[in-house]
Amino acid sequence: QVQLVESGGGLVQAGGSLRLSCAASGSIFSLNDMGWYRQAPGKQRELVAAITAADSTNYANSVAGRFTISRANAKNTVYLQMNSLKPADTALYYCYLDRRGLRFWGQGTQVTVSS
């Protein structure tokens, strides 16, 4: 099994920055595709950013140019640097990891951006 633990969420004013971390542990023997989704109240979960095992990245249009996803392979950790935050970025952010056709999820970390 794979366990994912997110951290770094919190309350920030509009225009501020946060960095989310997601540490993976368990049955991990190689690099995997990882990424972040978010879900705001009353809305569907949406993909925010993704990074493949080959370090190819992909971003939602709404965060491109403001968010950066990266990874520290030796630590099995993926990061999401979020700059120029907006109230619309307020959501519960979930980390995921894909391994052998399965997707594993973290418990989520709350990001709240005040105007």
Side-chain angles (χ1 to χ4, degrees):
Q1 288 296 321
V2 174
Q3 297 81 41
L4 301 172
V5 178
E6 300 108 329
S7 60
L11 174 64
V12 65
Q13 288 187 334
S17 298
L18 284 174
R19 189 175 84 151
L20 305 183
S21 299
C22 174
S25 61
S27 301
I28 301 172
F29 304 104
S30 62
L31 296 177
N32 303 275
D33 294 352
M34 298 182 70
W36 295 88
Y37 275 72
R38 67 186 180 187
Q39 186 167 20
K43 295 187 177 182
Q44 289 188 331
R45 190 175 293 193
E46 63 172 354
L47 177 66
V48 177
I51 185 165
T52 70
D55 284 344
S56 175
T57 59
N58 183 43
Y59 297 92
N61 290 336
S62 59
V63 308
R66 299 188 297 122
F67 291 11
T68 302
I69 190 170
S70 61
R71 65 196 303 160
N73 295 331
K75 299 181 181 180
N76 288 321
T77 300
V78 66
Y79 304 98
L80 186 66
Q81 177 67 42
M82 305 185 295
N83 298 328
S84 302
L85 283 161
K86 305 175 182 179
D89 295 317
T90 295
L92 190 59
Y93 284 69
Y94 296 91
C95 171
Y96 74 86
L97 180 149
D98 291 335
R99 180 177 179 270
R100 294 184 179 181
L102 296 177
R103 175 159 288 183
F104 299 88
W105 294 94
Q107 80 288 352
T109 185
Q110 178 67 38
V111 172
T112 303
V113 184
S114 63
S115 57

